[in-house]
Amino acid sequence: MSRMPRLCIVLLMALTSLVSMAQEQAQGLRDPTVPPAAAGLAQSGAVAQPATLESGGIAVVVRQGKPYLVIGTRLYAQGQKFGQTRIERITETEVWLREAGALRKVSVFSGIERRAALAPGTSSTRVKPLGLTP
């Protein structure tokens, strides 16, 4: 085999490896402040407001005795609006929202209900004493 075909093969292999290294480097140097496309988030940089809040998908934070609804990275107080939704009331277990004139309650913890605890030494069922007839 002559030198010319060998040189062409070596140059072709070198060019192929350079192209693949350039592609890897371009992919590795993306902007870290932009979410990856696989996350399904908008690339525009604007944070989209959720259309509806789901039960169990929200959080409430209390700062200096005042409750706030957490949506994304923002805090909303009672009376504030996000999108077309107005926050009517915030408690530690539920949030009341007014959307299109309708009032809706959203639980902070889905499937959990708050109720008063029983006094110590009492039970929720009554037990009949043994040996007594009614």
Side-chain angles (χ1 to χ4, degrees):
M1 200 172 183
S2 69
R3 286 184 76 131
M4 190 57 125
R6 283 186 202 165
L7 184 60
C8 287
I9 292 173
V10 169
L11 286 174
L12 183 61
M13 291 175 70
L15 181 63
T16 304
S17 66
L18 282 174
V19 169
S20 70
M21 285 187 345
Q23 286 176 346
E24 288 176 11
Q25 186 178 15
Q27 289 175 355
L29 297 177
R30 68 173 190 82
D31 184 0
T33 63
V34 177
L41 300 174
Q43 295 288 333
S44 65
V47 177
Q49 296 291 342
T52 60
L53 296 175
E54 300 289 325
S55 178
I58 61 174
V60 173
V61 172
V62 178
R63 282 195 171 173
Q64 298 176 349
K66 187 174 180 181
Y68 292 92
L69 174 63
V70 180
I71 301 175
T73 58
R74 297 184 181 259
L75 299 179
Y76 294 89
Q78 180 177 327
Q80 288 186 315
K81 291 177 82 172
F82 62 94
Q84 298 298 316
T85 304
R86 178 180 165 82
I87 302 169
E88 294 290 325
R89 182 175 162 199
I90 303 172
T91 67
E92 61 187 21
T93 58
E94 58 198 21
V95 177
W96 294 81
L97 304 171
R98 185 168 304 275
E99 298 172 304
L103 190 61
R104 176 171 74 108
K105 178 178 79 168
V106 180
S107 296
V108 175
F109 308 105
S110 63
I112 298 175
E113 186 177 309
R114 184 176 182 184
R115 55 188 162 169
L118 296 174
T122 62
S123 67
S124 60
T125 59
R126 297 190 73 178
V127 178
K128 289 184 180 180
L130 294 175
L132 298 176
T133 57

